[in-house]
mmCIF file of all heavy atoms in Angstrom:
data_model
loop_
_atom_site.group_PDB
_atom_site.id
_atom_site.type_symbol
_atom_site.label_atom_id
_atom_site.label_comp_id
_atom_site.label_asym_id
_atom_site.label_seq_id
_atom_site.Cartn_x
_atom_site.Cartn_y
_atom_site.Cartn_z
ATOM 1 N N LYS A 87 -17.421 11.828 48.125
ATOM 2 C CA LYS A 87 -17.292 10.465 47.600
ATOM 3 C C LYS A 87 -16.986 10.477 46.095
ATOM 4 O O LYS A 87 -16.072 9.795 45.638
ATOM 5 C CB LYS A 87 -18.588 9.696 47.882
ATOM 6 C CG LYS A 87 -18.515 8.244 47.536
ATOM 7 C CD LYS A 87 -19.747 7.506 48.042
ATOM 8 C CE LYS A 87 -19.709 6.052 47.589
ATOM 9 N NZ LYS A 87 -21.014 5.408 47.700
ATOM 10 N N ILE A 88 -17.757 11.278 45.343
ATOM 11 C CA ILE A 88 -17.542 11.264 43.882
ATOM 12 C C ILE A 88 -16.156 11.819 43.554
ATOM 13 O O ILE A 88 -15.451 11.288 42.706
ATOM 14 C CB ILE A 88 -18.676 11.989 43.106
ATOM 15 C CG1 ILE A 88 -18.645 11.622 41.621
ATOM 16 C CG2 ILE A 88 -18.641 13.504 43.205
ATOM 17 C CD1 ILE A 88 -19.342 10.361 41.286
ATOM 18 N N PHE A 89 -15.736 12.880 44.258
ATOM 19 C CA PHE A 89 -14.403 13.432 43.993
ATOM 20 C C PHE A 89 -13.309 12.476 44.480
ATOM 21 O O PHE A 89 -12.156 12.613 44.086
ATOM 22 C CB PHE A 89 -14.239 14.814 44.649
ATOM 23 C CG PHE A 89 -14.992 15.914 43.938
ATOM 24 C CD1 PHE A 89 -16.052 16.572 44.549
ATOM 25 C CD2 PHE A 89 -14.646 16.282 42.642
ATOM 26 C CE1 PHE A 89 -16.753 17.579 43.895
ATOM 27 C CE2 PHE A 89 -15.340 17.289 41.972
ATOM 28 C CZ PHE A 89 -16.392 17.941 42.606
ATOM 29 N N GLY A 90 -13.685 11.523 45.326
ATOM 30 C CA GLY A 90 -12.701 10.555 45.823
ATOM 31 C C GLY A 90 -12.554 9.335 44.927
ATOM 32 O O GLY A 90 -11.700 8.476 45.184
ATOM 33 N N ARG A 91 -13.341 9.225 43.880
ATOM 34 C CA ARG A 91 -13.280 8.030 43.023
ATOM 35 C C ARG A 91 -12.117 8.135 42.020
ATOM 36 O O ARG A 91 -12.315 7.983 40.802
ATOM 37 C CB ARG A 91 -14.605 7.846 42.279
ATOM 38 C CG ARG A 91 -15.764 7.405 43.171
ATOM 39 C CD ARG A 91 -16.980 7.178 42.310
ATOM 40 N NE ARG A 91 -18.184 6.866 43.059
ATOM 41 C CZ ARG A 91 -18.722 5.641 43.152
ATOM 42 N NH1 ARG A 91 -18.145 4.618 42.538
ATOM 43 N NH2 ARG A 91 -19.836 5.455 43.819
ATOM 44 N N VAL A 92 -10.950 8.397 42.561
ATOM 45 C CA VAL A 92 -9.797 8.676 41.706
ATOM 46 C C VAL A 92 -9.316 7.420 40.956
ATOM 47 O O VAL A 92 -9.019 7.484 39.755
ATOM 48 C CB VAL A 92 -8.663 9.296 42.565
ATOM 49 C CG1 VAL A 92 -7.340 9.289 41.826
ATOM 50 C CG2 VAL A 92 -9.043 10.712 42.955
ATOM 51 N N MET A 95 -11.636 6.685 38.193
ATOM 52 C CA MET A 95 -11.455 7.647 37.101
ATOM 53 C C MET A 95 -10.224 7.252 36.281
ATOM 54 O O MET A 95 -10.231 7.332 35.052
ATOM 55 C CB MET A 95 -11.293 9.071 37.644
ATOM 56 C CG MET A 95 -12.539 9.613 38.284
ATOM 57 S SD MET A 95 -13.877 9.930 37.088
ATOM 58 C CE MET A 95 -15.259 10.206 38.195
ATOM 59 N N ALA A 100 -10.358 8.995 32.842
ATOM 60 C CA ALA A 100 -11.162 10.232 32.941
ATOM 61 C C ALA A 100 -10.538 11.194 33.945
ATOM 62 O O ALA A 100 -10.042 10.778 34.988
ATOM 63 C CB ALA A 100 -12.587 9.882 33.379
ATOM 64 N N SER A 101 -10.590 12.475 33.607
ATOM 65 C CA SER A 101 -10.119 13.487 34.558
ATOM 66 C C SER A 101 -11.330 14.198 35.154
ATOM 67 O O SER A 101 -12.406 14.236 34.543
ATOM 68 C CB SER A 101 -9.190 14.487 33.870
ATOM 69 O OG SER A 101 -9.878 15.134 32.832
ATOM 70 N N ILE A 102 -11.128 14.736 36.357
ATOM 71 C CA ILE A 102 -12.219 15.451 37.033
ATOM 72 C C ILE A 102 -11.913 16.937 37.031
ATOM 73 O O ILE A 102 -10.762 17.340 37.265
ATOM 74 C CB ILE A 102 -12.381 14.978 38.493
ATOM 75 C CG1 ILE A 102 -12.695 13.490 38.540
ATOM 76 C CG2 ILE A 102 -13.474 15.785 39.206
ATOM 77 C CD1 ILE A 102 -13.142 12.993 39.900
ATOM 78 N N ARG A 103 -12.950 17.713 36.781
ATOM 79 C CA ARG A 103 -12.838 19.165 36.914
ATOM 80 C C ARG A 103 -14.043 19.668 37.698
ATOM 81 O O ARG A 103 -14.979 18.920 37.964
ATOM 82 C CB ARG A 103 -12.782 19.831 35.538
ATOM 83 C CG ARG A 103 -11.506 19.475 34.798
ATOM 84 C CD ARG A 103 -11.305 20.400 33.638
ATOM 85 N NE ARG A 103 -10.391 19.831 32.665
ATOM 86 C CZ ARG A 103 -10.320 20.238 31.408
ATOM 87 N NH1 ARG A 103 -11.120 21.194 30.973
ATOM 88 N NH2 ARG A 103 -9.453 19.688 30.584
ATOM 89 N N TRP A 104 -14.017 20.925 38.005
ATOM 90 C CA TRP A 104 -15.096 21.513 38.807
ATOM 91 C C TRP A 104 -15.392 22.913 38.277
ATOM 92 O O TRP A 104 -14.474 23.625 37.847
ATOM 93 C CB TRP A 104 -14.638 21.589 40.275
ATOM 94 C CG TRP A 104 -15.411 22.566 41.089
ATOM 95 C CD1 TRP A 104 -16.655 22.400 41.617
ATOM 96 C CD2 TRP A 104 -15.008 23.889 41.448
ATOM 97 N NE1 TRP A 104 -17.040 23.542 42.282
ATOM 98 C CE2 TRP A 104 -16.041 24.466 42.198
ATOM 99 C CE3 TRP A 104 -13.852 24.645 41.215
ATOM 100 C CZ2 TRP A 104 -15.977 25.760 42.705
ATOM 101 C CZ3 TRP A 104 -13.786 25.937 41.714
ATOM 102 C CH2 TRP A 104 -14.838 26.474 42.454
ATOM 103 N N ALA A 123 -11.324 18.073 48.672
ATOM 104 C CA ALA A 123 -11.641 16.899 47.835
ATOM 105 C C ALA A 123 -11.597 17.287 46.350
ATOM 106 O O ALA A 123 -11.087 16.529 45.510
ATOM 107 C CB ALA A 123 -13.011 16.357 48.212
ATOM 108 N N ILE A 124 -12.095 18.472 46.042
ATOM 109 C CA ILE A 124 -12.101 18.938 44.647
ATOM 110 C C ILE A 124 -10.658 19.126 44.162
ATOM 111 O O ILE A 124 -10.269 18.607 43.109
ATOM 112 C CB ILE A 124 -12.903 20.264 44.512
ATOM 113 C CG1 ILE A 124 -14.397 20.010 44.722
ATOM 114 C CG2 ILE A 124 -12.640 20.929 43.164
ATOM 115 C CD1 ILE A 124 -15.269 21.276 44.803
ATOM 116 N N ASP A 125 -9.852 19.856 44.956
ATOM 117 C CA ASP A 125 -8.466 20.144 44.543
ATOM 118 C C ASP A 125 -7.683 18.845 44.332
ATOM 119 O O ASP A 125 -6.926 18.701 43.375
ATOM 120 C CB ASP A 125 -7.760 21.009 45.591
ATOM 121 C CG ASP A 125 -8.273 22.450 45.580
ATOM 122 O OD1 ASP A 125 -8.876 22.856 44.564
ATOM 123 O OD2 ASP A 125 -8.077 23.165 46.585
ATOM 124 N N LYS A 126 -7.900 17.895 45.255
ATOM 125 C CA LYS A 126 -7.148 16.636 45.178
ATOM 126 C C LYS A 126 -7.584 15.829 43.940
ATOM 127 O O LYS A 126 -6.756 15.281 43.216
ATOM 128 C CB LYS A 126 -7.380 15.834 46.458
ATOM 129 C CG LYS A 126 -6.530 14.572 46.538
ATOM 130 C CD LYS A 126 -6.518 14.001 47.941
ATOM 131 C CE LYS A 126 -5.792 12.682 48.086
ATOM 132 N NZ LYS A 126 -5.191 12.055 46.952
ATOM 133 N N ALA A 127 -8.897 15.784 43.715
ATOM 134 C CA ALA A 127 -9.403 15.027 42.563
ATOM 135 C C ALA A 127 -8.860 15.604 41.257
ATOM 136 O O ALA A 127 -8.446 14.869 40.356
ATOM 137 C CB ALA A 127 -10.930 15.060 42.553
ATOM 138 N N ILE A 128 -8.845 16.933 41.176
ATOM 139 C CA ILE A 128 -8.357 17.575 39.942
ATOM 140 C C ILE A 128 -6.881 17.229 39.736
ATOM 141 O O ILE A 128 -6.469 16.813 38.645
ATOM 142 C CB ILE A 128 -8.571 19.106 39.990
ATOM 143 C CG1 ILE A 128 -10.072 19.425 39.963
ATOM 144 C CG2 ILE A 128 -7.846 19.800 38.825
ATOM 145 C CD1 ILE A 128 -10.426 20.894 40.199
ATOM 146 N N ALA A 129 -6.089 17.348 40.811
ATOM 147 C CA ALA A 129 -4.649 17.082 40.692
ATOM 148 C C ALA A 129 -4.389 15.601 40.375
ATOM 149 O O ALA A 129 -3.588 15.276 39.491
ATOM 150 C CB ALA A 129 -3.941 17.481 41.982
ATOM 151 N N ASP A 130 -5.090 14.705 41.087
ATOM 152 C CA ASP A 130 -4.812 13.269 40.924
ATOM 153 C C ASP A 130 -5.258 12.720 39.576
ATOM 154 O O ASP A 130 -4.753 11.695 39.116
ATOM 155 C CB ASP A 130 -5.501 12.463 42.033
ATOM 156 C CG ASP A 130 -4.855 12.682 43.395
ATOM 157 O OD1 ASP A 130 -3.787 13.325 43.444
ATOM 158 O OD2 ASP A 130 -5.426 12.222 44.404
ATOM 159 N N THR A 131 -6.264 13.351 38.970
ATOM 160 C CA THR A 131 -6.775 12.799 37.711
ATOM 161 C C THR A 131 -6.293 13.578 36.486
ATOM 162 O O THR A 131 -6.604 13.190 35.354
ATOM 163 C CB THR A 131 -8.335 12.764 37.697
ATOM 164 O OG1 THR A 131 -8.827 14.111 37.752
ATOM 165 C CG2 THR A 131 -8.887 11.954 38.856
ATOM 166 N N ALA A 132 -5.524 14.648 36.731
ATOM 167 C CA ALA A 132 -5.087 15.498 35.603
ATOM 168 C C ALA A 132 -4.349 14.725 34.504
ATOM 169 O O ALA A 132 -4.500 15.045 33.318
ATOM 170 C CB ALA A 132 -4.231 16.650 36.120
ATOM 171 N N ASN A 134 -4.981 11.895 33.277
ATOM 172 C CA ASN A 134 -5.860 11.041 32.460
ATOM 173 C C ASN A 134 -6.331 11.825 31.233
ATOM 174 O O ASN A 134 -6.827 12.943 31.363
ATOM 175 C CB ASN A 134 -7.051 10.549 33.292
ATOM 176 C CG ASN A 134 -6.593 9.862 34.579
ATOM 177 O OD1 ASN A 134 -5.469 9.378 34.652
ATOM 178 N ND2 ASN A 134 -7.445 9.818 35.582
ATOM 179 N N LEU A 137 -12.035 11.050 28.759
ATOM 180 C CA LEU A 137 -13.229 11.801 29.175
ATOM 181 C C LEU A 137 -12.917 12.856 30.249
ATOM 182 O O LEU A 137 -12.207 12.568 31.212
ATOM 183 C CB LEU A 137 -14.242 10.796 29.734
ATOM 184 C CG LEU A 137 -15.539 11.342 30.322
ATOM 185 C CD1 LEU A 137 -16.425 11.911 29.218
ATOM 186 C CD2 LEU A 137 -16.293 10.233 31.076
ATOM 187 N N VAL A 138 -13.495 14.045 30.075
ATOM 188 C CA VAL A 138 -13.381 15.103 31.090
ATOM 189 C C VAL A 138 -14.726 15.187 31.824
ATOM 190 O O VAL A 138 -15.752 15.499 31.212
ATOM 191 C CB VAL A 138 -13.053 16.470 30.448
ATOM 192 C CG1 VAL A 138 -13.035 17.572 31.496
ATOM 193 C CG2 VAL A 138 -11.725 16.406 29.702
ATOM 194 N N VAL A 139 -14.704 14.859 33.108
ATOM 195 C CA VAL A 139 -15.932 14.908 33.916
ATOM 196 C C VAL A 139 -15.902 16.188 34.743
ATOM 197 O O VAL A 139 -15.019 16.372 35.575
ATOM 198 C CB VAL A 139 -16.015 13.694 34.870
ATOM 199 C CG1 VAL A 139 -17.291 13.763 35.707
ATOM 200 C CG2 VAL A 139 -15.939 12.383 34.099
ATOM 201 N N THR A 140 -16.856 17.072 34.488
ATOM 202 C CA THR A 140 -16.904 18.334 35.242
ATOM 203 C C THR A 140 -18.123 18.320 36.157
ATOM 204 O O THR A 140 -19.249 18.099 35.699
ATOM 205 C CB THR A 140 -16.981 19.539 34.283
ATOM 206 O OG1 THR A 140 -15.851 19.484 33.402
ATOM 207 C CG2 THR A 140 -16.962 20.855 35.050
ATOM 208 N N VAL A 141 -17.872 18.529 37.440
ATOM 209 C CA VAL A 141 -18.973 18.600 38.402
ATOM 210 C C VAL A 141 -19.213 20.077 38.732
ATOM 211 O O VAL A 141 -18.283 20.798 39.098
ATOM 212 C CB VAL A 141 -18.638 17.813 39.686
ATOM 213 C CG1 VAL A 141 -19.775 17.952 40.702
ATOM 214 C CG2 VAL A 141 -18.376 16.336 39.369
#
Side-chain angles (χ1 to χ4, degrees):
K87 187 171 176 197
I88 196 84
F89 286 114
R91 289 183 185 255
V92 166
M95 292 291 168
S101 60
I102 300 192
R103 293 195 200 161
W104 160 78
I124 290 172
D125 287 341
K126 186 166 175 359
I128 293 172
D130 290 351
T131 64
N134 306 337
L137 176 70
V138 176
V139 180
T140 303
V141 177

